Amino acid sequence: MERSMTVLQIALYHPNQDKGIFEDIPHHLEHDTTHLVIGRGQNAHLKFRLPGVSRHHISLEPYLEKGNICLTFCLKILSRSSSVWVNGLTLKYLERVPLTAVSKVIFSGVQMVIHVEDGASKEKFACCMHFSCSPLIYRAKAEETDEFEDIQEDPEPPQETRELN
């Protein structure tokens, strides 16, 4: 049986979520094929109560690829003042990236994992929100090293201590 709408399963985590930063986010949302705005502004579709989030921080933009019967999505950065990490890429203002079947997004301390489940509708899609009590994304932090520490000098050849007889 074919799913009638594409569903974005969105898992969210923030270390201070107990302070109500996700309070205005619905657990389920149906949306037409216009872009879905995520931010802290009054007209954002998904509102975060977090000072580091811009009024219009990012948007999820559905579109139809030629030859595809399902909606495809890209994520666009709307914040001028902060960057957003998506699947290993750091994006800045007005940059966009296509979402994969599972996309990992980090912005302003918020961790978001988006699972795209295809559906037949070309007029609307649904978002189902899940709130996690533990981190969703683990990124290895780069370690600063002194480049000269990594360069080893060629070892001196061993000197013969025996005398030839």
Side-chain angles (χ1 to χ4, degrees):
M1 183 170 142
E2 211 171 83
R3 183 184 293 274
S4 61
M5 278 191 290
T6 297
V7 176
L8 302 180
Q9 298 284 347
I10 302 175
L12 295 165
Y13 169 79
H14 189 277
N16 296 329
Q17 67 188 21
D18 58 335
K19 296 184 176 149
I21 63 171
F22 298 147
E23 190 172 298
D24 295 330
I25 298 175
H27 289 272
H28 182 81
L29 171 75
E30 287 187 17
H31 196 70
D32 59 19
T33 55
T34 61
H35 61 280
L36 184 130
V37 176
I38 298 171
R40 64 173 170 77
Q42 290 296 346
N43 57 352
H45 301 103
L46 299 178
K47 295 180 186 89
F48 291 81
R49 292 183 176 189
L50 195 60
V53 173
S54 301
R55 285 177 284 159
H56 298 138
H57 205 88
I58 59 178
S59 68
L60 297 174
E61 300 180 349
Y63 62 96
L64 268 174
E65 288 183 324
K66 186 176 181 176
N68 196 346
I69 59 168
C70 298
L71 289 174
T72 304
F73 294 84
C74 73
L75 187 138
K76 182 177 179 181
I77 312 310
L78 302 175
S79 174
R80 293 178 191 262
S81 60
S82 67
S83 59
V84 176
W85 182 87
V86 182
N87 292 334
L89 300 171
T90 301
L91 303 175
K92 302 233 182 259
Y93 181 60
L94 295 182
E95 290 184 312
R96 66 180 74 200
V97 65
L99 294 182
T100 57
V102 177
S103 296
K104 298 174 183 178
V105 182
I106 298 175
F107 61 95
S108 300
V110 174
Q111 294 182 2
M112 179 173 14
V113 177
I114 304 170
H115 293 262
V116 180
E117 298 175 358
D118 291 336
S121 176
K122 298 176 186 174
E123 292 82 34
K124 61 183 177 176
F125 65 95
C127 295
C128 294
M129 309 309 158
H130 309 277
F131 306 97
S132 176
C133 297
S134 57
L136 303 166
I137 301 168
Y138 298 95
R139 286 183 7 185
K141 296 199 181 229
E143 292 182 28
E144 290 186 26
T145 59
D146 185 356
E147 64 186 67
F148 296 109
E149 289 177 4
D150 294 337
I151 300 172
Q152 293 182 351
E153 293 181 25
D154 288 334
E156 303 232 355
Q159 293 183 4
E160 284 287 322
T161 55
R162 293 186 313 179
E163 290 184 29
L164 295 172
N165 293 337

